[in-house]
Amino acid sequence: MNSLRGGIAGIGMTSARTRDRLVERLRSHGIRSEIVLNQIRSVPRHLFVDEALASRAYEDTALPIGHGQTISQPYVVAKMTEALLDGFEGEKVLEIGTGCGYQTAVLAPVVKKIYSVERIPELLRKTKQRLRELDIYNVQFRPGDGWAGWPKYAPYDGIIVAAAAQVVPDKLLEQLAPGGRLVMPVGPPGYQQLTLVRHLHERFEQSPLGGVSFVPLVPGS
Ligand code: SAH
């Protein structure tokens, strides 16, 4: 048996009931997309955190993942994924801030290809291995600075940014395909507005999706 999928975590924390409870909570907080709710139900979040925190993995809360970073709250991952996929057309998604790869794992089975950039190489190494063990292969990773995007594979039909900045980086807007969608927390440290940007060919349209608190998109890393 695959050791990651095997019985390391107690039955209580991985049981269908525990996951269903989380899904019902997200539904009651306004997540409507069955595709997204299914993904939240099926991705084993306890495998993305330290064993010591595994019993809390299906709580709707952010948790530390080392290096001063966090795994995002399931509601926020669901909200961002739903906003990205609503009317999404195309194949390629750029993700900035891979972290432990939870958001990546939620998104990977429902899009064709993800390009994911993370500034902490050590985090990325572990994440690559974790996603392989979960049989996720349609993700290309790169250690680097998300402020610059990943020009090589641009334009992207969707861009999802898991770290906050005062403005949407110009380079990311440049790499968003016409008709594409970008989701990102925008605002000062501590409190940001989750923001949807749509590339409407002749202009960009921004809409607020609600208040969030993300770690910063570190400049010039
Ligand atoms: N996507 C993760 C959350 C990651 S937290 C999840 O699913 O839970 C945000 C991540 O953004 C951290 O891993 C952090 O190292 C990374 N990050 C911060 N600034 C960055 C930058 N300029 N470029 C790339 N990654 C960055």
Side-chain angles (χ1 to χ4, degrees), residues 45 48 62-63 65-73 77 80 95-106 116-121 123-124 142-149 160-164 214-221:
R45 191 168 183 258
F48 291 76
L63 294 167
I65 55 170
H67 307 274
Q69 305 303 323
T70 53
I71 181 172
S72 300
Q73 182 191 354
V77 170
M80 291 178 82
E95 176 184 53
I96 305 297
T98 323
C100 63
Y102 178 65
Q103 168 77 73
T104 325
V106 168
S116 194
V117 180
E118 166 59 52
R119 64 178 281 273
I120 303 176
L123 213 46
L124 199 54
R142 179 185 173 210
D145 178 15
W147 280 89
I160 189 160
V161 186
F214 271 80
V215 296
L217 185 66
V218 177
S221 43

